[in-house]
Amino acid sequence: MFDKTCMDAIENPNMMIPWYLMAAYAYYEQDDPILSDGLFDAMAKRMLESWDELEHWHKEYITLEDLKAGTLLNKDLPQRVVSAVNSLRRGK
């Protein structure tokens, strides 16, 4: 699990968006989570509460409904997300 790495990164609230996308991909597509369920759920709640203030070019891949449900299913995510998860796992 990469909870500590994620927590350090999301001190900048906008970084929750890529971490949410990466965690969803790892969990739903790879069936190999990178974050604990608790952190993923907490991040969804925090993002929902501050949605209008968040800015990130991948924000379009997440909806308020996704955050309310605490999921991110059936999304065609950018290759950048896939590459980021793979790099994280390799320790790069």
Side-chain angles (χ1 to χ4, degrees), residues 3 5 14 20 25 27 30 32 50 58-59 61 65 67 79 82-83:
D3 285 16
T5 305
N14 294 315
Y20 192 83
Y25 174 78
Y27 184 85
Q30 295 183 326
D32 187 10
S50 59
H58 288 142
K59 186 176 177 180
Y61 293 97
E65 289 75 28
L67 296 175
Q79 182 59 38
V82 175
S83 296

Side-chain angles (χ1 to χ4, degrees), residues 27-84:
Y27 184 85
Y28 294 110
E29 297 297 324
Q30 295 183 326
D31 195 28
D32 187 10
I34 60 171
L35 300 179
S36 67
D37 288 345
L39 179 55
F40 186 80
D41 294 343
M43 198 166 27
K45 182 179 178 185
R46 187 171 162 205
M47 288 172 59
L48 188 58
E49 292 168 350
S50 59
W51 187 248
D52 292 335
E53 290 80 42
L54 295 176
E55 296 178 11
H56 193 278
W57 57 89
H58 288 142
K59 186 176 177 180
E60 67 189 69
Y61 293 97
I62 304 170
T63 67
L64 293 175
E65 289 75 28
D66 294 327
L67 296 175
K68 289 175 187 173
T71 62
L72 188 70
L73 301 171
N74 301 320
K75 299 287 181 167
D76 187 22
L77 297 175
Q79 182 59 38
R80 182 177 218 167
V81 171
V82 175
S83 296

